[in-house]
Amino acid sequence: MAVAAWLTTQIDPQSWQREGLSPFNKFICAAILLSTFMAIVETEPVLTTGYPSVFFWLNLLFLAIFSIELLLRIYIAPYAKNHSGISRIRFIFSPWTLPDILVLLTFMPVSEDLPLLVMRLIRVFRIVRMSRLTRFNYSLSLLLNSVGKRKTELGISFLIAMSLLLLTSILLYLVEGSSNPDDFGSIPRAMWWSIATLTTVGYGDVTPLSPLGKFCAGITALIGIGIVAMPTGILAAAFSEAYQQAKQTDSNENN
């Protein structure tokens, strides 16, 4: 029991909330970043064909590190505060653990006979392990909680954005469809312009030609500023609220 309690303070990713990251968790964060960098570099054929043994042994090293970490977290699962006495079997099949297991499988040696697309998919999937850093970062954890609490407002803003996308596409199709059929001859074609304009990207590869079309485009561009600002404001307010609540909770517990 004493050993499990000590391991919990060293390995449990949630321990940073009160005590900061343990040396073990700092090591795991560094391993995640290094393995992600390796997964990115591994997509370069010149390197993989020139140094195949280096990538082979690095994959085995990271496989060993993350396997040991996963086994230790399974062992301490019933003792971790954030799991509330969850059984080890339930912990293995939890939403947080299953992705880790899937990522571990991508470290296994892969046959070169597999289709190229499958090989690339397996290599790129290793980058998913970056998501694990959210468990070690207080600010990222607060941000994810904020998004969850504001999912209704964010859903409404997304619905408004999709409605404006459709309306502006229809409008430009009606105004520019006859004079500029290549770019606005159908609603799906006009949607590309609407997406680039509403998101304020403005590639410039598709532009209206008529004065009325340009006027409608200007109005659409102005609306796009609000479309971008709406979810940004929602997330900023939610993050600020979550941060203040966390500080208040810590203050009450210390008192």
Side-chain angles (χ1 to χ4, degrees), residues 107-134:
F107 281 102
M108 302 297 180
V110 180
S111 173
E112 296 296 333
D113 296 331
L114 289 175
L116 182 60
L117 179 62
V118 176
M119 290 282 294
R120 288 178 174 176
L121 180 63
I122 292 174
R123 287 172 177 171
V124 172
F125 188 73
R126 294 172 185 170
I127 299 175
V128 175
R129 73 185 69 118
M130 279 289 292
S131 63
R132 296 189 54 215
L133 289 177
T134 58

Side-chain angles (χ1 to χ4, degrees), residues 11-23:
I11 299 171
D12 183 13
Q14 303 301 322
S15 61
W16 46 257
Q17 291 191 24
R18 299 292 185 274
E19 305 164 6
L21 282 177
S22 67

Side-chain angles (χ1 to χ4, degrees), residues 15-193:
S15 61
W16 46 257
Q17 291 191 24
R18 299 292 185 274
E19 305 164 6
L21 282 177
S22 67
F24 180 84
N25 282 333
K26 289 180 180 178
F27 171 74
I28 293 299
C29 287
I32 292 173
L33 293 174
L34 289 174
S35 63
T36 303
F37 175 76
M38 187 194 73
I40 295 172
V41 173
E42 198 175 5
T43 60
E44 176 53 59
V46 174
L47 295 176
T48 52
T49 56
Y51 308 94
S53 60
V54 173
F55 288 97
F56 174 78
W57 288 110
L58 283 176
N59 275 325
L60 287 183
L61 174 63
F62 287 121
L63 174 62
I65 291 173
F66 293 128
S67 297
I68 292 172
E69 186 233 359
L70 179 61
L71 291 175
L72 288 174
R73 286 197 293 112
I74 292 173
Y75 172 71
I76 67 167
Y79 309 99
K81 296 179 181 179
N82 58 308
H83 297 138
S84 302
I86 188 174
S87 68
R88 294 186 177 96
I89 298 298
R90 287 183 58 193
F91 178 77
I92 292 174
F93 292 98
S94 66
W96 276 111
T97 308
L98 285 177
D100 291 347
I101 296 174
L102 291 176
V103 169
L104 283 180
L105 294 178
T106 65
F107 281 102
M108 302 297 180
V110 180
S111 173
E112 296 296 333
D113 296 331
L114 289 175
L116 182 60
L117 179 62
V118 176
M119 290 282 294
R120 288 178 174 176
L121 180 63
I122 292 174
R123 287 172 177 171
V124 172
F125 188 73
R126 294 172 185 170
I127 299 175
V128 175
R129 73 185 69 118
M130 279 289 292
S131 63
R132 296 189 54 215
L133 289 177
T134 58
R135 277 175 270 179
F136 299 93
N137 189 289
Y138 188 44
S139 299
L140 286 176
S141 179
L142 283 178
L143 180 60
L144 290 178
N145 291 335
S146 302
V147 172
K149 292 178 180 179
R150 292 293 188 276
K151 58 185 178 182
T152 301
E153 294 90 336
L154 291 172
I156 293 174
S157 65
F158 178 78
L159 180 61
I160 293 173
M162 291 299 100
S163 299
L164 289 173
L165 171 65
L166 181 59
L167 289 174
T168 53
S169 300
I170 294 173
L171 179 61
L172 265 294
Y173 163 69
L174 295 175
V175 174
E176 291 280 322
S178 58
S179 60
N180 193 357
D182 290 339
D183 296 331
F184 299 97
S186 67
I187 294 176
R189 292 182 189 181
M191 276 186 176
W192 168 248
W193 172 86

Side-chain angles (χ1 to χ4, degrees), residues 181-247:
D182 290 339
D183 296 331
F184 299 97
S186 67
I187 294 176
R189 292 182 189 181
M191 276 186 176
W192 168 248
W193 172 86
S194 295
I195 292 172
T197 304
L198 285 173
T199 56
T200 69
V201 175
Y203 287 114
D205 56 337
V206 178
T207 56
L209 301 177
S210 67
L212 180 58
K214 292 180 180 180
F215 174 77
C216 295
I219 299 299
T220 303
L222 292 174
I223 294 174
I225 298 174
I227 293 297
V228 173
M230 192 162 35
T232 303
I234 293 173
L235 288 176
F239 181 77
S240 177
E241 180 182 340
Y243 182 72
Q244 293 300 326
Q245 288 178 350
K247 285 185 63 178

